[in-house]
Amino acid sequence: MDLKQLLLKDAMIMDLKATNKEDAIEEMVDKYYQVGVIDDKELYKSDILKREAQTSTGIGDGIAMPHARDKAVKRATVLFAKSAKGIDYKSLDGQPAYLFFMIAAPDGADNLHLQALAALSSLLINPELVKNLKAAKTADEVQELFDKAMKEKEAKDKADEEKEKAKEAAAAKAAASDNDKPYVVAVTACPTGIAHTYMAEAALKEQAEKMGVDIKVETNGSEGVKHQLTSADIDRASGVIIAADKKVDMPRFNGKHLVSRPVSDGINKAEELINLAVEDKAPVFHSEGGEEEESSDSGEKRSLWSRIYADLMNGISNMLPFVVGGGILMAISFLLENSVGAKSQWFLFFNNVGNYAFSFLIPVLAAYIAVSIGDRPALLPGFVGGYMASQATASVVSSKSPAGFIGGLLAGFIAGWIIVALKKWLKVMPKSLDGLKTILIYPVLGLLLTGAVMYFMVDPIFAVVNHAITAFLESMGTGNAVVLGALLGGMMSIDMGGPFNKAAYTFAIGTFTATQDGALMAAVMVGGMVPPLAIAIATTFWKNKFTEQERQAGLSNYILGLSFITEGAIPFAAGDPLHVIVSSVIGSAIGGGLTQLWGVNVPAPHGGIFVTPLANKPLLYLVAVIIGAIISGVIYGVWKPAKKEANK
């Protein structure tokens, strides 16, 4: 595809008026909408901002490449924009950005479009082209510069390809002829797979040529895997470079010196990465039976808490679809029960399917905690251990209560670490028996040991503990209930989706599944709705304290808050944590406490305002939400200092 078809003259902005990152994105998105490249500004801008939240697309050297691929885009296009004074784009090198390339790719973009976008991205590591673009005065001049650079690159690529073929032919005739020249392999990948993937590839190849190093780069982009590394490539390489912001196939690099960095380092620190790979300064990567062990160029290990938290979040994130899907169907069934009766097939259908989904909560939680620790071999023992925790079975201690969520959490960690221990113990086995490990030894021994620990220790102990907690909650007086409700409600706002939020929500879910009492669900639901609603209220009534973009985002928080999506407040909390978090915690704690003071019960694990008809006291449930949101919104609105740019 001709690059002129991508770099539309009508879409270029030769004098960008914006003075900050948010306004620059807004101005470029508006231009796309004006020329008909996109038909939904909000959708496209939302996806641009999501990409920026992962890591800034200000790649350094005065260049920014915001990009998105979604259904709002009607045709593949690259918007070129210039800023004479430069804009603080939060670039990776901390310097202002002068040149902007906003890439728009249709959701169903074909390979031809994607190849053209990748080619365009790779041109931008050419300092001469960047210099000329900064001096360009007209849109025609920009097109001519890219056309010339593309032709030069195609000629160079063709020459390199012929050179590579000749080198491979020579190597086939005399394998030792090239042994003195260093050789490394690399993998580049970014979440979107449009720009950074290919820029890192180009930067690594160009730097390797300057250093006299042979390199082969595999790209994991939007087109799929290109230039895939073979076993022969990896065996021959003295080191491996991973420049990626998403998961790549790692076990194939077992035993190789490997440096793993973000994709931006592949663009900006190519020389450093190549030196580490060539000089054997990177740690040796170890993988066994598909297990991907932690590896970093610095050799640093995560703290114990960060590892536990990551494992726990893996279990919870895989469990949440069962909570939401099953919970919504159960909520629908309760609505149907009120209108068609408890014996109706419609009620029974929705209620049973929802309950079936709920029956998997603890097994899935345990299974994916275990997988996070011990990889795939830990799935079976984790799943069975979680199932054992969810059942009130007679073991060495007879109890009518299952071990519940606490037992399920322990089952996941126990199963995962048992598999890790087995992998270490079984390293002495002959290599010829490696095939038996994953299909026989890990499943049998992992299940046996996990089952034994659960049957003889965890289930008996935590069945009693869980029963005691349930009895305590059922007998708890109003004063204690209010304190607990306030605590859980406040925790929902401390980190808005992080460990405190998940701990409160998981505790309420555990209580709900054990007792079918939705009192604590009411507390956490109110607590989780307050932060985004407070943001919406503050941006509505204190407009002078927010930018136009923040006011627009604030409006969407009305919907997010009513839907019990606490994460809608995260962008505001990230930019102003003190004012947002403190005000949100106060309102959430008050709202959560009020639900317990008034004895509100919501027998649904999700749904926010939309499950109000299920509450035993729907009006008081709504009042608790409104009071908490108004208190937080007023505190935030009054407390927050005004932004100067908000008055423009």
Side-chain angles (χ1 to χ4, degrees), residues 68-272:
R69 179 182 181 186
D70 61 36
K71 63 183 180 181
V73 181
K74 312 318 293 177
R75 57 170 293 184
T77 309
V78 177
L79 182 154
F80 172 77
K82 287 178 56 180
S83 171
K85 295 181 179 179
I87 293 173
D88 180 6
Y89 200 81
K90 313 301 181 186
S91 297
L92 300 175
D93 62 357
Q95 299 301 310
Y98 297 90
L99 302 179
F100 301 84
F101 300 86
M102 180 172 275
I103 299 174
D107 203 25
D110 56 29
N111 283 341
L112 191 60
H113 285 106
L114 297 173
Q115 288 167 6
L117 291 169
L120 179 65
S121 302
S122 64
L123 292 176
L124 295 176
I125 66 163
N126 183 342
E128 187 66 24
L129 174 61
V130 172
K131 177 182 176 182
N132 291 334
L133 287 172
K134 288 181 178 179
K137 302 296 183 185
T138 67
D140 286 323
E141 192 176 350
V142 172
Q143 284 190 331
E144 289 170 6
L145 286 170
F146 270 106
D147 191 42
K148 178 183 177 183
M150 190 65 195
K151 289 177 180 177
E152 291 176 352
K153 184 178 185 301
E154 287 174 350
K156 184 178 182 299
D157 288 347
K158 186 176 181 180
D160 288 345
E161 186 178 349
E162 292 175 354
K163 182 179 178 182
E164 186 66 28
K165 288 180 179 178
K167 190 183 298 181
E168 290 176 358
K173 292 180 181 179
S177 64
D178 226 12
N179 280 351
D180 292 337
K181 196 170 184 181
Y183 176 70
V184 298
V185 293
V187 180
T188 63
C190 72
T192 308
I194 293 177
H196 290 60
T197 299
Y198 303 103
M199 294 185 72
E201 175 199 22
L204 287 167
K205 290 169 74 173
E206 181 175 306
Q207 185 61 43
E209 184 176 355
K210 291 179 182 177
M211 297 170 64
V213 175
D214 281 345
I215 190 170
K216 180 175 180 180
V217 184
E218 173 185 298
T219 56
N220 287 202
S222 51
E223 299 178 77
V225 176
K226 296 291 183 182
H227 317 301
Q228 188 164 19
L229 301 176
T230 65
S231 297
D233 293 328
I234 297 169
D235 289 342
R236 179 187 161 200
S238 58
V240 179
I241 298 169
I242 305 295
D245 290 333
K246 69 176 185 179
K247 187 176 181 180
V248 298
D249 180 17
M250 296 294 288
R252 53 187 166 153
F253 302 121
N254 184 46
K256 304 296 293 188
H257 288 278
L258 185 146
V259 53
S260 179
R261 295 281 190 85
V263 68
S264 57
D265 281 5
I267 301 171
N268 300 313
K269 299 180 181 180
E271 182 177 6
E272 177 186 339

Side-chain angles (χ1 to χ4, degrees), residues 517-530:
D517 184 341
L520 297 184
M521 288 309 310
V524 298
M525 202 104 68
V526 170
M529 286 190 281
V530 164

Side-chain angles (χ1 to χ4, degrees), residues 399 401-403 406-407 458-472:
S399 174
S401 294
I406 301 175
V458 175
D459 277 357
I461 294 172
F462 284 94
V464 174
V465 171
N466 196 41
H467 178 73
I469 291 174
T470 302
F472 169 74

Side-chain angles (χ1 to χ4, degrees), residues 322-339:
F322 292 82
V323 174
V324 176
I328 295 299
L329 291 187
M330 288 175 66
I332 293 173
S333 77
F334 295 142
L335 291 174
L336 289 171
E337 183 182 19
N338 293 332
S339 57

Side-chain angles (χ1 to χ4, degrees), residues 249-297:
D249 180 17
M250 296 294 288
R252 53 187 166 153
F253 302 121
N254 184 46
K256 304 296 293 188
H257 288 278
L258 185 146
V259 53
S260 179
R261 295 281 190 85
V263 68
S264 57
D265 281 5
I267 301 171
N268 300 313
K269 299 180 181 180
E271 182 177 6
E272 177 186 339
L273 301 187
I274 293 171
N275 279 329
L276 287 169
V278 168
E279 298 171 8
D280 293 343
K281 291 183 178 179
V284 175
F285 176 75
H286 296 290
S287 175
E288 181 181 348
E291 176 192 5
E292 295 183 21
E293 296 183 4
E294 195 174 357
S295 173
S296 71
D297 59 295

